[in-house]
Amino acid sequence: QCSARIPEARAVLDLLEQCPEHQKKGEFPVIVLEGLDATGKTTVAGSVKDVLNAVLLRSPPPCISQWRAIFDDEPPPIRRAFYAAGNYILASEIARASTQAPVIIDRYWHSTAAYTIATEIKGKVQDLPPAHDEVYQWPEDLLKPDLVLLLTVDPEERARRLRHRGLEKTKEEAELETNSLFRQRVEESYRRMENPACQEVDASPSKEETVETVLRLIKHHCGL
């Protein structure tokens, strides 16, 4: 409905329509790294990729990430539709890549769901849908990863890292800094995700220690 006003929306939909309906994972494991901005996802993902000789993918995928700034300025329903479509487009890349090597993904469906829930539900953590509600379930028609690791750091450390980075932030990332209730809702939504659930990793230690912890969990769960 918004494609007449946002030409890029038509391009996103065209890419989505090209994706096979049911994506199947290859024989290699698929591991997702999730977490708030500045928890070290991108750094850890790059290091793990190198150690495992894996393929590194990101959500939204490069074929649509060029339009991310455009959709970040749109109302929440359009913004979320963009990220949701990105996950299904990314699933096609995951399906292909996982036939050749392990796949590491910097954010996937859980990010889209957690931020959507935290944006739509105002108030405190207690106001979120109850645990085991269907909103925390993985979509049945979306390629599922083997392991999802949620990187966390305490709020003060995360704020310090953001200040040092000095990068431009999305509206939601900016709100994470100023609105502690929003941050708490996002974090709790991550923790309530099911099928697969997020396994929490304390990313407060050094990068080397965090990478070591992540690799140990991958080896345990995926046999690498």
Side-chain angles (χ1 to χ4, degrees):
Q1 293 177 353
C2 67
S3 58
R5 184 172 61 82
I6 313 170
E8 294 81 4
R10 182 68 262 169
V12 173
L13 291 172
D14 287 343
L15 286 167
L16 188 60
E17 287 168 4
Q18 293 170 24
C19 298
E21 259 188 62
H22 299 288
Q23 306 285 359
K24 289 192 176 179
K25 190 177 74 67
E27 62 186 83
F28 289 92
V30 175
I31 300 105
V32 181
L33 295 180
E34 291 282 6
L36 302 182
D37 198 45
T39 53
K41 291 185 312 303
T42 303
T43 302
V44 172
S47 297
V48 171
K49 166 199 173 283
D50 292 341
V51 172
L52 299 180
N53 292 317
V55 176
L56 176 59
L57 301 175
R58 291 185 173 89
S59 182
C63 59
I64 66 168
S65 60
Q66 58 187 317
W67 303 315
R68 184 175 179 177
I70 294 169
F71 286 93
D72 279 343
D73 281 337
E74 292 296 326
I78 296 175
R79 189 162 68 240
R80 289 297 131 226
F82 169 75
Y83 285 101
N87 286 313
Y88 283 86
I89 295 169
L90 178 62
S92 291
E93 299 183 12
I94 298 168
R96 288 192 296 271
S98 60
T99 64
Q100 304 294 325
V103 178
I104 308 297
I105 309 172
D106 185 345
R107 286 190 170 176
Y108 193 21
W109 176 263
H110 284 341
S111 279
T112 305
Y115 279 84
T116 298
I117 294 164
T119 301
E120 294 297 320
I121 307 298
K122 307 301 181 185
K124 300 179 179 179
V125 166
Q126 298 93 302
D127 299 311
L128 290 171
H132 311 303
D133 188 277
E134 64 180 3
V135 299
Y136 303 117
Q137 299 293 323
W138 190 270
E140 291 183 3
D141 61 345
L142 181 64
L143 186 149
K144 191 181 296 185
D146 296 285
L147 178 64
V148 182
L149 300 176
L150 174 64
L151 303 190
T152 61
V153 297
D154 65 70
E156 292 76 17
E157 171 62 14
R158 202 180 69 82
R160 186 191 67 78
R161 293 182 184 183
L162 279 168
R163 284 194 300 272
H164 278 277
R165 282 168 53 172
L167 299 176
E168 186 178 348
K169 307 175 189 69
T170 65
K171 288 181 178 178
E172 286 166 346
E173 287 162 352
E175 189 172 358
L176 287 172
E177 282 190 79
T178 59
N179 187 336
S180 63
L181 286 178
F182 180 67
R183 186 190 71 245
Q184 290 167 26
R185 294 197 303 270
V186 173
E187 288 179 325
E188 183 58 27
S189 295
Y190 270 126
R191 292 187 178 106
R192 294 186 186 186
M193 295 297 168
E194 295 181 334
N195 192 33
C198 296
Q199 183 157 339
E200 203 162 331
V201 175
D202 180 9
S204 299
S206 68
K207 181 195 84 171
E208 291 75 18
E209 289 177 87
T210 304
V211 168
E212 187 178 327
T213 299
V214 167
L215 287 169
R216 189 166 59 246
L217 288 167
I218 292 172
K219 183 177 181 180
H220 176 72
H221 285 272
C222 305
L224 290 177

